Amino acid sequence: PPQGRPVEGPPHVWTRTYNGPDGITKAVYNVKASKGRVEWAAENGPCEHDGDCMFLGRCLQNHCHCDPGWTGKTCSVAALEPLDLSHGYHNRTESSWGGRPVYDPASKTWVLYAAQFSNQCPLAWWKNNSQVISAVSTTGEPEGPYEWAGEVQPEFHHNPTVVGPTPDGFY
């Protein structure tokens, strides 16, 4: 969003002004949060510059032309739909987060490395109960779904990062 000072308003509605380098107010924006979406809307109508498009698109002929993945009058709505909840990694007993799928040419499978709680611990105890796991795609596709394959690193390991592939194919 443009830089500016948030001003409190009614619940789930905030107003923000964008002041140019000359100190003159260039635009006033309202933000509205509902149903898991957050959308900024310019009060001053059509865009005048890319900032009016949240820098998530280009202002061309006074209309925002959004970058891929963004939509709305001011390109401020993430275009996440359609979302297929059958994809990804789902563990019914332990919480997990993050992860990156990596293709293993030897086994011809997609393997996901992610962080996962152990011992059904609450969020407050995550540091002592976070481990790195691997999961394998059951469909052979990078989006999964994935099933747990094993522990890669025991508790006290967090947020795995996979780097690569390098030019010679290594991770």
Side-chain angles (χ1 to χ4, degrees):
Q3 294 180 357
R5 182 178 56 84
V7 179
E8 289 188 30
H12 305 293
V13 177
W14 299 268
T15 301
R16 174 170 277 186
T17 60
Y18 168 67
N19 294 322
D22 55 4
I24 297 173
T25 299
K26 300 295 184 186
V28 177
Y29 298 86
N30 288 327
V31 63
K32 178 173 65 175
S34 65
K35 296 183 182 178
R37 295 180 128 185
V38 176
E39 182 169 5
W40 288 86
E43 282 185 352
N44 63 338
C47 64
E48 295 176 13
H49 52 79
D50 291 350
D52 291 337
C53 303
M54 304 299 127
F55 299 105
L56 298 170
R58 301 287 314 267
C59 179
L60 302 171
Q61 298 177 339
N62 295 97
H63 289 88
C64 291
H65 297 266
C66 304
D67 294 339
W70 296 96
T71 188
K73 283 184 176 180
T74 60
C75 303
S76 60
V77 176
L80 302 175
E81 297 176 304
L83 177 63
D84 186 343
L85 295 177
S86 69
H87 293 167
Y89 172 67
H90 304 280
N91 184 318
R92 300 214 188 285
T93 60
E94 304 289 355
S95 296
S96 63
W97 65 96
R100 176 177 174 196
V102 177
Y103 185 71
D104 178 11
S107 64
K108 297 183 179 174
T109 58
W110 283 92
V111 179
L112 177 75
Y113 295 94
Q116 178 173 290
F117 288 155
S118 60
N119 306 315
Q120 297 179 338
C121 76
L123 182 59
W125 297 346
W126 76 270
K127 287 183 182 179
N128 299 344
N129 293 284
S130 171
Q131 62 184 345
V132 176
I133 60 98
S134 66
V136 177
S137 172
T138 60
T139 61
E141 299 297 325
E143 60 269 8
Y146 285 84
E147 287 185 358
W148 187 85
E151 179 183 289
V152 177
Q153 293 290 328
E155 284 85 0
F156 259 91
H157 289 86
H158 324 289
N159 303 327
T161 301
V162 178
V163 179
T166 60
D168 54 0
F170 287 94
Y171 287 90

